[in-house]
Amino acid sequence: EGSNPSPGSFLAAATHYATLYGANPANLDASLYGVTDAVLANAIKESVWTAVTNEPRSGVVPEPASMAALALGLGVLKRRRR
């Protein structure tokens, strides 16, 4: 009772999630908050993650997605040297 699903409530939930757990909200289900437009949901998720990771006081550091690419690249380099 008393909840009012809306894009604003999803924005708040995604921000809390990203800040508290230090995790990208990309996998959150926006439909639980009444957001059924995938473009809007993704825009909110991306905006939240950008804002949280760019705010030093949040204490959240972006996930090192490039580390996997770096490891892949190093594996390719090792194979080429043989």
Side-chain angles (χ1 to χ4, degrees), residues 48-76:
V48 163
W49 189 238
T50 298
V52 168
T53 56
N54 285 315
E55 173 52 61
R57 294 175 291 181
S58 75
V60 178
V61 178
E63 296 164 340
S66 60
M67 293 304 286
L70 177 62
L72 250 164
L74 290 175
V76 170

Side-chain angles (χ1 to χ4, degrees), residues 7 10 24 33 37 42-43 60-61 69 71 80 82:
F10 179 60
N24 190 326
Y33 297 88
D37 181 349
N42 287 332
V60 178
V61 178
R80 287 184 184 170
R82 290 181 182 174

Side-chain angles (χ1 to χ4, degrees), residues 1-59:
E1 289 293 319
S3 71
N4 186 13
S6 69
S9 61
F10 179 60
L11 173 67
T15 303
H16 285 128
Y17 175 84
T19 305
L20 293 172
Y21 296 108
N24 190 326
N27 293 323
L28 293 183
D29 185 359
S31 67
L32 297 173
Y33 297 88
V35 179
T36 56
D37 181 349
V39 174
L40 176 59
N42 287 332
I44 291 171
K45 293 173 190 180
E46 290 173 15
S47 297
V48 163
W49 189 238
T50 298
V52 168
T53 56
N54 285 315
E55 173 52 61
R57 294 175 291 181
S58 75

